[in-house]
Each structure stands twice: as C-alpha cells, then as structure tokens.
Amino acid sequence: MTQQGAVLQGYNNELVKCIEDLCMQKEELNKQILQAEEEKNKLQHEIQVLSEQLECVCENLAQKVASRNELDKILAETEAAYMKILDSSRTLLNVLKKEAGSLKHTPELKTN
C-alpha cells in the first residue's frame, strides 16, 4: 500500500506541476493579450487621427478644385471677350484704313 501511496503521490506531484505550468502559460498569454489590446487601441486612435486629417485634406482639396474650376471659367470668358475686342479692333482698323484711303482720292480742302 505504501508503494501505491508513493505512486499516487508521484502522480499528484506531476499533476500539480502540470497545473502550475498551465497557470504560467495562462499568465503569459494574458500579458500578450493586454499588449495586443494596447497596440490595437493605439492603432485605432492613430486611424481616427489620420481619418480626421484625411477629411480635412479632402475638404481643402475640394475647395481648391472648385476655386480652380471657377478661375478656369473666368479665364475662358475673359479670353473670349478679349478675342472679341481684338476682332472689333481689327475691323475698326480696316474701316479706318479704308476711309483714310478714300480720303486720299478726294480733293484737298483749301485753307485761307
């Protein structure tokens, strides 16, 4: 019976050691879980900050694109108006040259 008691005691000691090992593994795993949760929270915060920055950049970009489009429109209208002025100036110049040419063919006025 003492031999069975010794065997039982050996099993008990081995069982206790296995339980202690499992407890240590659980403790280590808990530390790793806490570190992973901290890293996750840190990354989520960084994502939030970056998302807010991205939103600001997108809004700013949209305003700049709208301003550029407005400037493009103004420039196109201004260039079109300028081309009309140039065309009118050319027409006026041609008319003036024609009139000046016809004046050369008329007798000069005599001054007293």
Side-chain angles (χ1 to χ4, degrees), residues 7-65:
V7 170
L8 185 59
Q9 184 63 36
Y11 290 155
N12 187 46
N13 289 342
E14 195 173 331
L15 182 59
V16 168
K17 185 176 181 329
C18 285
I19 290 173
E20 287 174 352
D21 287 345
L22 288 175
C23 286
M24 287 178 19
Q25 286 179 6
K26 178 185 171 189
E27 192 174 310
E28 179 61 30
L29 193 56
N30 277 337
K31 287 180 187 178
Q32 292 174 2
I33 288 171
L34 288 174
Q35 288 174 344
E37 286 176 344
E38 287 175 8
E39 181 69 15
K40 177 186 137 196
N41 290 336
K42 177 184 167 194
L43 291 172
Q44 283 179 328
H45 177 71
E46 289 175 9
I47 288 170
Q48 180 181 357
V49 168
L50 289 173
S51 294
E52 290 170 2
Q53 289 176 349
L54 178 61
E55 185 177 337
C56 289
V57 168
C58 287
E59 288 174 6
N60 188 297
L61 178 62
Q63 290 173 350
K64 288 181 180 185
V65 167

Side-chain angles (χ1 to χ4, degrees), residues 14 21 61 66 69 88-89 98:
E14 195 173 331
D21 287 345
L61 178 62
N69 292 342
S88 295
S89 295
K98 186 177 180 181

